[in-house]
């Protein structure tokens, strides 16, 4: 397996634009997590899914953020409209029922 | 609610020293504990995973221990090298609560040649 795959690796956009981040978890993993990391706040959990169902989205900063998992092999994190304070590295991770966590390489987002 | 604390926040040691990084957690009802390494500008790389029924795991110069009763885990690095310089994070996968996985804030390690 190729591991958790995230795209794009880097995204530069202007304030107000819509941004969509994509994640393909490892096949067979039933948990999927979206994290955001900044120097100031460290690693923050935004939302996680279990068997494609959102379980806890209390970490989503505001209504501009939304996440979907239409099937077991794909998830998106969308920011609309984007703001400069959304600039961060966004990580996706998957887990096979609590037996460890496997991270993607992250998406570096810069909102100008 | 599970809380995970890592001490120290930063550590600087000369090359060749053995060192210990600490991770403590408040709720002992855990599935497992995982140690990660993160290099600047990079993602998180898994180092060791300890299941709740285990007391330690070893990989090369790394040894991680788990004491659920006291809510502690340690990561021991033997004969440290400059290439070990990175941030080390521990994450606890809990049985209860709404958020199954909680991270510590990490220990930033610098190994000086």
């Amino acid at each position: 397996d190729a591991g958790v795959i995230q795209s794009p690796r880097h995204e530069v956009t202007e304030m107000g634009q819509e941004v969509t981040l994509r994640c393909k978890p490892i096949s067979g993993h039933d948990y999927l997590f979206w994290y955001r990391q900044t120097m100031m706040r460290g690693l923050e959990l935004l939302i996680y899914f279990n068997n494609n169902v959102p379980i806890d989205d209390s970490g989503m900063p505001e209504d501009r953020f939304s996440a979907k998992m239409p099937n077991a092999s794909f998830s998106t994190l969308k920011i609309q409209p984007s703001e400069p304070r959304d600039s961060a590295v966004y990580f996706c991770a998957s887990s096979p029922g609590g037996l460890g966590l496997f991270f993607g390489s992250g998406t570096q987002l810069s909102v100008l | 609610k599970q809380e995970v604390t890592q001490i120290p926040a930063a550590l600087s040691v000369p090359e060749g020293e053995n060192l210990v990084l600490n991770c403590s957690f408040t709720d002992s009802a855990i599935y497992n504990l995982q140690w990660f390494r993160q290099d600047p500008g990079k993602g998180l790389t898994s180092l060791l995973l300890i299941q709740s029924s285990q007391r330690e795991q070893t990989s090369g110069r790394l040894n991680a221990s788990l004491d659920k009763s006291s809510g502690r885990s340690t990561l021991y690095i033997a004969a440290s090298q400059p290439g070990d310089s990175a941030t080390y994070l521990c994450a606890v996968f809990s049985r209860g609560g709404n958020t199954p996985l909680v991270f510590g804030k990490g220990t930033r390690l610098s190994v000086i040649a």
Side-chain angles (χ1 to χ4, degrees):
Chain A
D1 201 316
V4 177
I5 300 173
Q6 290 187 247
S7 64
R9 290 296 306 276
H10 302 274
E11 177 80 30
V12 180
T13 190
E14 293 188 348
M15 183 174 63
Q17 296 298 306
E18 177 179 295
V19 174
T20 300
L21 311 181
R22 296 173 177 81
C23 175
K24 179 179 174 9
I26 294 173
S27 177
H29 286 195
D30 56 347
Y31 281 87
L32 184 139
F33 300 81
W34 281 101
Y35 286 91
R36 177 173 70 176
Q37 187 176 42
T38 61
M39 288 292 292
M40 291 295 293
R41 300 172 70 91
L43 199 62
E44 301 175 279
L45 175 65
L46 301 177
I47 185 171
Y48 79 92
F49 296 83
N50 181 212
N51 292 320
N52 313 338
V53 177
I55 303 300
D56 183 5
D57 65 353
S58 59
M60 298 284 261
E62 45 198 279
D63 292 344
R64 298 184 297 106
F65 286 69
S66 62
K68 294 182 180 179
M69 192 165 185
N71 56 61
S73 59
F74 184 65
S75 178
T76 59
L77 178 67
K78 185 175 294 186
I79 308 173
Q80 166 63 16
S82 59
E83 297 183 3
R85 60 194 167 120
D86 301 331
S87 298
V89 181
Y90 291 80
F91 288 106
C92 174
S94 68
S95 176
L99 296 176
L101 193 64
F102 299 80
F103 276 81
S105 299
T107 295
Q108 175 74 59
L109 174 65
S110 297
V111 183
L112 307 177
Chain B
K1 178 185 173 185
Q2 180 73 273
E3 294 182 2
V4 179
T5 304
Q6 291 188 247
I7 295 174
L11 181 64
S12 183
V13 300
E15 181 178 6
E17 270 203 11
N18 302 325
L19 60 99
V20 174
L21 307 180
N22 296 292
C23 173
S24 61
F25 47 95
T26 55
D27 186 349
S28 61
I30 67 172
Y31 279 124
N32 58 53
L33 184 145
Q34 193 169 4
W35 283 93
F36 293 88
R37 167 187 174 138
Q38 186 175 31
D39 293 281
K42 303 292 185 183
L44 281 76
T45 301
S46 179
L47 297 174
L48 289 164
L49 173 69
I50 310 177
Q51 302 291 340
S52 62
S53 59
Q54 298 173 321
R55 292 193 63 85
E56 66 179 301
Q57 280 285 337
T58 298
S59 176
R61 294 182 294 108
L62 305 180
N63 176 277
S65 68
L66 174 64
D67 184 344
K68 285 197 305 177
S69 61
S70 65
R72 294 183 61 189
S73 175
T74 61
L75 179 66
Y76 175 84
I77 303 176
S80 58
Q81 303 170 358
D84 295 330
S85 298
T87 296
Y88 291 80
L89 299 101
C90 71
V92 176
F93 215 117
S94 299
R95 293 183 181 276
N98 209 25
T99 302
L101 191 66
V102 180
F103 274 87
K105 294 191 182 301
T107 294
R108 190 171 65 255
L109 173 66
S110 296
V111 181
I112 311 301

